[in-house]
Amino acid sequence: MERKRVTVAIETSTIVRVLLLVLAFVGSIWLVTRVATPLVWVLVAIFLAVSLDPAVNGLMKALKVSRLWATGIVFALFVGFVSFMSASLVPPLVNQTQAFATQLPGLVQQAENSDTYLSRVISDYDLVNRAHDVQDDLIANITTGNGTALGIVVSIFSGLAAALTILTFTFFMLLEGPHWVRVLGNY
């Protein structure tokens, strides 16, 4: 049996197109990785704006005020609610986590002393000693954030910058949202 020889001619323009597509794909991936955090901030702001928009519209109709006033009132109530919830939930959560970390070896020891499947697993994997080993690290990580003072300050300011950016985007999206919906609806 004779083999047929097939020749495929690929033009230079085809090779250039494929290379440009690959380059565009790699560039797009690189760009998305670079703007991922701000993109998430914008998406969170859009979600918040869409969620708060019915309250703004309802307040405009109920109090017969401008969109600016209604947006300001709803936004102030929202920020107050989030601040109150954060101040109410974060300290007890940290305290309970610290208490759990302190009590962890005792709880594991107590479970090991019982006559159950769990006690056999704890004995087989030596979890009591491991719990004692990680207890100090766990408490240190909870109380200090496991970082240098500079790292902690940077993370605090980064979080504040993110929150401020998201809140600013949300406010302006609430304020100008209907206008942009009308503009984009015309296209």
Side-chain angles (χ1 to χ4, degrees):
M1 185 178 251
E2 202 175 306
R3 288 179 128 180
K4 286 188 176 182
R5 186 171 232 179
V6 177
T7 304
V8 177
I10 301 175
E11 294 183 22
T12 306
S13 62
T14 304
I15 294 172
V16 169
R17 285 181 188 166
V18 168
L19 288 175
L20 286 175
L21 283 172
V22 169
L23 187 62
F25 178 75
V26 170
S28 299
I29 297 297
W30 177 82
L31 184 65
V32 166
T33 60
R34 295 290 181 217
V35 299
T37 300
L39 189 60
V40 167
W41 294 354
V42 169
L43 291 175
V44 169
I46 289 171
F47 174 77
L48 289 174
V50 168
S51 299
L52 294 174
D53 189 55
V56 171
N57 291 333
L59 198 60
M60 284 173 53
K61 290 176 185 170
L63 298 180
K64 298 200 184 342
V65 293
S66 68
R67 184 155 188 92
L68 177 63
W69 278 102
T71 300
I73 293 168
V74 168
F75 195 73
L77 289 172
F78 172 73
V79 170
F81 176 75
V82 169
S83 300
F84 173 75
M85 292 302 290
S86 297
S88 298
L89 294 177
V90 171
L93 184 62
V94 170
N95 291 336
Q96 289 178 5
T97 305
Q98 287 175 332
F100 174 73
T102 304
Q103 297 171 357
L104 180 63
L107 294 171
V108 173
Q109 183 70 45
Q110 193 176 26
E112 183 185 38
N113 292 337
S114 66
D115 188 28
T116 61
Y117 172 75
L118 181 61
S119 67
R120 289 188 296 277
V121 170
I122 290 172
S123 295
D124 290 345
Y125 290 102
D126 195 28
L127 294 180
V128 173
N129 290 332
R130 289 184 187 200
H132 285 292
D133 292 341
V134 300
Q135 178 183 15
D136 294 333
D137 291 338
L138 186 60
I139 291 172
N141 289 343
I142 292 168
T143 56
T144 64
N146 195 22
T148 63
L150 179 62
I152 292 170
V153 169
V154 166
S155 67
I156 288 171
F157 280 115
S158 296
L160 289 174
L164 186 62
T165 303
I166 290 169
L167 290 175
T168 303
F169 283 170
T170 302
F171 181 80
F172 286 114
M173 286 178 189
L174 274 173
L175 194 59
E176 294 294 326
H179 170 71
W180 284 105
V181 169
R182 283 191 306 272
V183 167
L184 293 174
N186 291 334
Y187 290 106

